[in-house]
Amino acid sequence: MKNIIAFAGSNSKNSINHQLATYASSLVENVKVNILDLNDFELPLYGIDYEIDHGIPDNAHKFLDAIKASDGIILSLAEHNGAYSTVFKNLFDWMSRIDGKLWSEKPMLLMATSPGGRGGATVLDIAKGRFAYMGGHIIEDFSFPSFNDNFTDGKITNEALNSDLKNKVASFQNKL
Ligand SMILES: Cc1cc2nc3c(=O)[nH]c(=O)nc-3n(C[C@H](O)[C@H](O)[C@H](O)COP(=O)(O)O)c2cc1C
């Protein structure tokens, strides 16, 4: 059986991106899902001096190992001031010091959501522009707007958005 990882680019306990990534992963059929939480991979703030003095922390290796052991990735990015959240960028930077092609050509469903109407579209565009240079193989992307209006009890309530996501998940599934 194929295995996928799902995670949010957030360290919030109640992360809406974690909820969306978890829901999307539940729509993928016949796979083993490993839901990861960035809080379980604490890392010092990246700095070249730290790296020279201490090397690359184990948690960066552990997260990269989870990517490499997977057959596909579902990632939902939090948007902070039009960019990656600090916790995600930090992990991304650390992993890039181990392997510049860190996404390892694994099929990816890349998403973002926010409470606002743009649904994290700005950070999604940043990631779409960048990941391709870093081993990223984005099969589909999905921006989910106005999270609090469109998501309840672990599920998307807006039919059109739910149908859009289901189609994108099916396309992701076909590439696993
Ligand atoms: C520092 C900070 C900056 C934010 N900037 C944006 C932003 O640029 N665009 C946006 O749509 N939401 C922004 N938000 C709201 C986040 O989308 C919201 O907190 C969301 O819940 C974050 O995702 P998470 O719950 O998965 O962590 C910001 C929130 C914080 C704390």
Side-chain angles (χ1 to χ4, degrees):
M1 187 182 276
K2 303 275 185 184
N3 77 89
I4 63 170
I5 55 171
F7 65 102
S10 166
N11 58 357
S12 161
K13 260 196 309 196
N14 301 310
S15 166
I16 60 177
N17 285 280
H18 184 86
Q19 293 176 60
L20 181 63
T22 301
Y23 174 60
S25 73
S26 77
L27 301 173
V28 187
E29 292 166 1
N30 300 318
V31 290
K32 186 167 170 293
V33 180
N34 182 10
I35 294 175
L36 302 174
D37 182 339
L38 299 196
N39 288 303
D40 296 329
F41 297 86
E42 264 189 31
L43 288 162
L45 267 189
Y46 180 79
I48 187 68
D49 298 333
Y50 184 100
E51 184 183 342
I52 290 167
D53 290 346
H54 304 284
I56 297 172
D58 281 354
N59 277 343
H61 285 279
K62 282 185 188 156
F63 206 95
L64 187 59
D65 288 348
I67 291 173
K68 290 191 182 289
S70 76
D71 296 303
I73 302 167
I74 294 179
L75 166 57
S76 191
L77 292 167
E79 180 172 299
H80 279 183
N81 296 316
Y84 304 123
S85 69
T86 302
V87 68
F88 174 79
K89 181 63 162 52
N90 195 43
L91 171 65
F92 188 44
D93 286 347
W94 273 119
M95 289 194 296
S96 74
R97 301 296 290 163
I98 307 168
D99 181 355
K101 305 272 184 199
L102 60 113
W103 298 120
S104 309
E105 300 298 332
K106 305 289 179 178
M108 182 185 291
L109 171 60
L110 180 63
M111 307 188 290
T113 189
S114 77
R118 278 180 50 76
T122 305
V123 70
L124 199 55
D125 280 347
I126 291 172
K128 279 159 63 183
R130 185 64 204 168
F131 287 6
Y133 298 100
M134 307 190 75
H137 181 36
I138 299 169
I139 307 299
E140 295 285 357
D141 63 88
F142 180 66
S143 161
F144 182 60
S146 308
F147 181 90
N148 299 315
D149 299 333
N150 292 319
F151 195 98
T152 306
D153 292 337
K155 291 193 172 94
I156 294 180
T157 50
N158 177 303
E159 263 182 47
L161 289 167
N162 200 32
S163 160
D164 189 16
L165 178 62
K166 281 184 168 171
N167 288 335
K168 288 178 173 177
V169 167
S171 148
F172 168 72
Q173 169 133 31
N174 282 337
K175 294 287 195 288
L176 293 176

